[in-house]
Amino acid sequence: MSSIIRPSDTIIQSPYQANITTPDWMINAMEKVMQFYVDRNLRLDTVSAEMMPAPVEGKKYMLYAHVPFCHTLCSYCTFHRFLFNEDKARRYFVSLRKEMDMVKNLGYDFESMYIGGGTTTVLEDELARTIEHAKTLFPNIKEVSCESDPQHLDSPGFKQLEGLVDRMSIGVQSFNDDILAMTDRIEKFGTGQQTFDKIMAAKELFPIINVDLIFGFRGQTDEVIQHDLDMASKLDPRQITTYPLMITHQTRKSVKGKLAAPHGDMARQYRQILNTLNGQYTQLSGWAFGKAQNEGFDEYVIDYDEYLGVGSGSFSFLNDTLYVNTFSLKKYQERIANGKMGVEQQKQYGKKEVMQYRFLLGMFSGRLSRKYFRETFGVNLDIALFKEMASMRAIGAIKNDPNDPDNLIWTDNGKMMGLLMMKEFYSGMDNVRAQLRKPLQAADM
């Protein structure tokens, strides 16, 4: 199959023409505003916690499980992860399943499960056993989403996940060998063509394959971006996600000026992405595209207002409170062995802060709704978040739907702003993770 589908083959381009008119100075200003709110609201002024709260009747929850192991550590990533050690990883999966038992005993049930990392597929047999255990505990789980990298797609154990995982997201980042070499990925995962061939072979295993790409790398010209999008399109996956490269305080030295493209390239590259993928795919969020409308995708926080995380370094958002599990592997194992959950800290947010968070998610997903804010918070969105709404209107990010007064139409400027806002939020979360990892000693890893 790979001998037939090659990068030189012609892709029919979408007739879509993105209308992003936001000037660079406005993008820079919005980033600074977002950085202010992120720094203020993601401060680590948490208090200790011993146990998750019980579920609230009538609410829908999503289960998140974190697998903090990778065979290699990418310099631009600050997700919570450790170098893979098989003995530690196997003990960890056992503890992960025990923590799920504790969640069940609290009375929780879930409709969806997302497994993130790290690299979730470092031990396919343990991962399969963990998913089976979750489905036994929580029989209402209808979909399981999981992440992997190209290295594991052709491993003998990978097929164990067939029938267990509904959506497999594969971190490609780029099909361009120069970009892969610059980010040290060729030696780890192979060339762009080898990755392409592995994904093509693995497509039949899962109902949904998602191809993750990153834009904003140094040397990623229009031609390179187009090559990446064309290669992804030829795979014809159910989903394609195009993340902007994120620079955090922790990755600034390794990324800015070395891996990152000039800041002004972002809008131009994003316009190219919109023009290429819209028409072939439905845009699900600022950076996710799918074959079907509203199908599950990476940003699970959009579809579920509340979610519970298990595993070292996982986050939960329950009853307007953020819960953080210990980032120490040693402490996590000790807590589980002593019959305690992994949660270690909590921070409660006020109504205004939660509304601003939901506003961010609404802008990112194109689902900003007056009805949602009225029914969830009992407020008039235009009044309660006057400054936020006024600024989005002023830059042409949103406009009223003439057919539905509750609905707000998401423009191309709005897509750009939503992507920018979510990028800054994720960068802030990465800074939080880095701060939580900083005190760890060798014994904790």
Side-chain angles (χ1 to χ4, degrees):
M1 189 174 294
S2 63
S3 62
I4 297 172
I5 301 175
R6 292 292 173 182
S8 58
D9 293 347
T10 301
I11 288 288
I12 298 174
Q13 294 301 315
S14 162
Y16 191 92
Q17 290 297 312
N19 185 29
I20 299 176
T21 58
T22 312
D24 287 345
W25 70 264
M26 196 171 287
I27 292 175
N28 293 335
M30 181 56 68
E31 282 189 327
K32 293 186 185 305
V33 171
M34 275 300 300
Q35 287 169 5
F36 168 78
Y37 281 108
V38 166
D39 289 344
R40 186 181 73 176
N41 293 330
L42 290 180
R43 289 180 305 173
L44 296 181
D45 51 350
T46 56
V47 296
S48 63
E50 290 292 326
M51 185 67 68
M52 294 291 187
V56 176
E57 187 176 353
K59 283 190 176 182
K60 294 182 178 180
Y61 299 94
M62 194 232 177
L63 176 63
Y64 175 84
H66 194 75
V67 181
F69 298 100
C70 287
H71 288 288
T72 56
L73 306 181
C74 296
S75 61
Y76 52 84
C77 174
T78 59
F79 283 106
H80 178 53
R81 74 273 194 268
F82 303 101
L83 276 173
F84 174 72
N85 174 285
E86 183 171 348
D87 289 340
K88 286 184 179 180
R90 290 197 181 279
R91 291 197 299 272
Y92 179 85
F93 274 106
V94 171
S95 296
L96 195 62
R97 294 190 286 270
K98 289 180 179 179
E99 189 173 22
M100 288 180 185
D101 292 339
M102 299 179 201
V103 172
K104 174 68 174 180
N105 291 336
L106 283 174
Y108 279 91
D109 199 1
F110 304 96
E111 296 182 353
S112 182
M113 180 180 187
Y114 191 96
I115 308 162
T119 304
T120 67
T121 51
V122 287
L123 290 171
E124 292 98 339
D125 60 331
E126 292 286 0
L127 178 60
R129 195 172 295 120
T130 301
I131 296 172
E132 289 169 345
H133 189 65
K135 288 187 172 184
T136 299
L137 290 175
F138 312 108
N140 286 325
I141 290 179
K142 300 180 183 67
E143 58 185 18
V144 175
S145 188
C146 192
E147 302 170 354
S148 187
D149 59 43
Q151 180 179 354
H152 297 88
L153 297 183
D154 58 355
S155 68
F158 197 72
K159 289 188 177 181
Q160 296 180 55
L161 301 175
E162 184 177 8
L164 293 175
V165 174
D166 301 288
R167 175 185 177 275
M168 181 61 73
S169 185
I170 301 164
V172 173
Q173 321 316 14
S174 177
F175 290 102
N176 180 272
D177 288 346
D178 291 336
I179 300 296
L180 294 175
M182 181 179 71
T183 54
D184 298 325
R185 289 180 68 88
I186 280 190
E187 185 176 339
K188 300 173 185 176
F189 307 128
T191 66
Q193 186 63 51
Q194 288 171 331
T195 294
F196 181 97
D197 294 341
K198 288 181 180 181
I199 296 174
M200 186 61 78
K203 273 182 63 178
E204 63 186 28
L205 299 178
F206 310 103
I208 298 177
I209 284 281
N210 175 73
V211 173
D212 279 346
L213 299 174
I214 292 180
F215 67 98
F217 283 119
R218 181 170 56 83
Q220 221 169 6
T221 62
D222 291 352
E223 292 74 20
V224 171
I225 292 281
Q226 195 61 51
H227 172 260
D228 281 345
L229 296 172
D230 289 350
M231 289 285 278
S233 296
K234 287 170 190 171
L235 285 167
D236 195 32
R238 276 277 295 275
Q239 295 178 358
I240 297 175
T241 304
T242 56
Y243 296 105
L245 181 64
M246 300 179 196
I247 301 174
T248 70
H249 294 311
Q250 305 304 313
T251 64
R252 192 170 299 276
K253 289 184 179 180
S254 62
V255 173
K256 193 172 184 179
K258 295 180 181 179
L259 298 182
H263 186 272
D265 289 356
M266 184 190 300
R268 176 179 53 79
Q269 292 179 341
Y270 187 54
R271 185 182 296 111
Q272 184 179 2
I273 289 167
L274 294 183
N275 287 341
T276 300
L277 295 182
N278 276 301
Q280 299 180 58
Y281 288 85
T282 297
Q283 191 160 5
L284 303 174
S285 75
W287 56 49
F289 301 81
K291 290 285 188 181
Q293 185 76 34
N294 295 329
E295 62 185 7
F297 56 97
D298 188 51
E299 285 12 276
Y300 56 86
V301 295
I302 293 172
D303 289 323
Y304 291 87
D305 282 357
E306 302 201 358
Y307 51 93
L308 188 148
V310 292
S312 172
S314 67
F315 292 86
S316 306
F317 194 71
L318 305 166
N319 302 331
D320 298 340
T321 301
L322 179 70
Y323 294 89
V324 184
N325 277 22
T326 178
F327 274 53
S328 164
L329 279 181
K330 179 183 178 183
K331 286 184 180 178
Y332 179 75
Q333 299 285 26
E334 289 174 348
R335 291 182 71 86
I336 301 302
N338 291 326
K340 297 180 181 179
M341 300 185 74
V343 62
E344 190 174 54
Q345 301 179 60
Q346 62 181 320
K347 176 177 179 175
Q348 187 168 16
Y349 287 94
K351 181 177 179 180
K352 181 67 174 288
E353 295 163 331
V354 176
M355 287 194 298
Q356 289 173 329
Y357 172 59
R358 299 299 175 203
F359 182 86
L360 157 68
L361 296 181
M363 282 299 305
F364 175 69
S365 64
R367 303 183 199 175
L368 194 60
S369 163
R370 292 184 174 96
K371 181 180 179 182
Y372 172 83
F373 277 80
R374 188 169 60 246
E375 292 182 347
T376 305
F377 301 105
V379 300
N380 181 317
L381 171 59
D382 298 82
I383 296 173
L385 295 180
F386 175 79
K387 290 190 296 183
E388 291 83 353
M389 288 290 286
S391 64
M392 289 299 107
R393 283 199 200 93
I395 61 178
I398 54 175
K399 58 184 180 181
N400 291 329
D401 185 340
N403 300 315
D404 182 356
D406 275 335
N407 188 42
L408 291 155
I409 296 174
W410 196 34
T411 68
D412 287 339
N413 279 345
K415 294 173 184 178
M416 180 72 203
M417 286 299 104
L419 176 135
L420 181 69
M421 293 163 70
M422 199 65 169
K423 178 177 78 75
E424 292 304 317
F425 176 78
Y426 266 37
S427 295
M429 289 300 295
D430 281 351
N431 290 334
V432 169
R433 292 188 187 97
Q435 291 176 55
L436 288 166
R437 284 176 57 89
K438 191 174 181 179
L440 299 184
Q441 304 295 318
D444 294 304
M445 301 181 186

